[in-house]
């Protein structure tokens, strides 16, 4: 019941933001190819605002996909009521993003590095939109042609890993353009590797 309600709400929200997606999708795709496109996107107030709103609207759809395809399914969630399981998954991802926000503010530099740091930090929103759209498309197509659930989950995990790897590379390049390589790596660890590593570990250990 909760899944259907949230799915309907997500569809309605996405419809209202469809024009923004059409307006920004070229910039999103360009960010995959070149790190400097993230700088250009952030320089545009309209594009960056559209990107932020789209990323927020993608949160619930991402959680729904993660639940429906068992992308994130720790052992302790097995056997739980579907509504409770989905609520816990949403809560875990909310906590994950809160940790990322705290880390971003905690390690935020001062001076001339702060601008490039902000661009690198917010590039995660760009790749989150891309990841969610790709997973939604994959889930719909692969379910329509009747592939096994394990195959769908495996394919989505590999694609997620590939997109995340590109996101890490682009973020590192952005950071490295404004500071030393060592500092850029430390920022990457603080903002991406440690929080995401903890999330992945929770799926494997708990």
């Amino acid at each position: 019941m909760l899944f259907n309600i949230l799915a309907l709400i997500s569809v309605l929200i996405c419809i209202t933001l469809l024009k923004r997606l059409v307006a920004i999708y070229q910039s999103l795709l360009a960010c995959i190819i070149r790190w400097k496109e993230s700088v250009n996107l952030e320089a545009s107030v309209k594009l960056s605002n559209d990107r932020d709103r789209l990323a927020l609207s993608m949160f619930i759809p991402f959680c729904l996909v993660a639940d429906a395809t068992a992308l994130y399914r720790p052992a302790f969630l097995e056997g739980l009521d579907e509504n409770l399981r989905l609520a816990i998954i949403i809560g875990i991802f909310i906590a994950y993003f809160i940790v990322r926000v705290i880390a971003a503010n905690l390690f935020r530099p001062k001076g001339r590095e702060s601008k490039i740091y902000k661009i690198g930090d917010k590039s995660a929103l760009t790749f989150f939109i891309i990841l969610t759209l790709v997973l939604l498309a994959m889930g719909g197509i692969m379910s329509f042609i009747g592939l096994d659930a394990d195959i769908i989950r495996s394919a989505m995990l590999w694609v997620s890993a590939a997109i995340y790897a590109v996101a890490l590379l682009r973020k590192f390049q952005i950071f490295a353009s404004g500071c030393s390589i060592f500092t850029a790596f430390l920022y990457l660890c603080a903002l991406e590797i440690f929080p995401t590593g903890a999330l992945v570990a929770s799926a494997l250990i708990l």
Side-chain angles (χ1 to χ4, degrees):
M1 183 64 178
L2 179 61
F3 186 98
N4 293 334
I5 292 174
L6 292 178
L8 178 59
I9 293 173
S10 298
V11 169
L12 294 176
I13 292 175
C14 290
I15 289 175
T16 62
L17 294 175
L18 188 58
K19 287 185 178 180
R20 297 179 187 272
L21 177 60
V22 172
I24 200 177
Y25 86 96
Q26 288 185 335
S27 295
L28 297 179
L29 295 179
C31 289
I32 299 176
I33 301 172
R34 289 174 7 112
W35 67 267
K36 288 185 178 179
E37 293 300 331
S38 292
V39 178
N40 296 335
L41 191 154
E42 206 63 43
S44 169
V45 175
K46 182 180 185 305
L47 289 180
S48 62
N49 286 339
D50 287 347
R51 188 271 316 279
D52 294 349
R53 292 188 178 94
L54 284 169
L56 182 61
S57 72
M58 291 291 143
F59 177 74
I60 293 300
F62 176 80
C63 291
L64 295 178
V65 171
D67 177 50
T69 60
L71 278 180
Y72 181 80
R73 187 66 60 82
F76 76 90
L77 293 180
E78 297 296 338
L80 292 182
D81 173 76
E82 291 183 2
N83 292 334
L84 178 59
R85 185 184 68 217
L86 177 57
I88 291 174
I89 288 175
I90 292 174
I92 290 173
F93 279 110
I94 289 175
Y96 167 72
F97 284 110
I98 290 175
V99 169
R100 289 173 60 98
V101 171
I102 292 173
N105 288 303
L106 185 63
F107 293 95
R108 187 178 302 279
K110 296 180 180 180
R112 61 194 185 104
E113 287 185 13
S114 61
K115 182 178 180 181
I116 204 70
Y117 178 89
K118 179 183 176 182
I119 295 171
D121 178 34
K122 297 191 73 173
S123 69
L125 299 178
T126 299
F127 284 91
F128 176 68
I129 295 171
I130 295 169
L131 173 62
T132 304
L133 291 174
V134 170
L135 291 181
L136 287 171
M138 287 181 63
I141 294 172
M142 298 175 82
S143 296
F144 178 77
I145 62 179
L147 292 180
D148 184 76
D150 289 336
I151 295 177
I152 295 176
R153 179 177 182 271
S154 179
M156 284 187 167
L157 285 173
W158 280 106
V159 169
S160 298
I163 293 175
Y164 188 67
V166 175
L168 288 179
L169 174 61
R170 297 293 174 247
K171 178 169 284 195
F172 178 78
Q173 290 174 320
I174 293 169
F175 286 149
S177 70
C179 59
S180 68
I181 292 179
F182 178 71
T183 302
F185 179 73
L186 291 180
Y187 287 155
L188 196 66
C189 288
L191 301 184
E192 290 292 345
I193 297 176
F194 289 156
T196 304
L199 181 68
V200 173
S202 70
L204 300 175
I205 296 172
L206 298 180

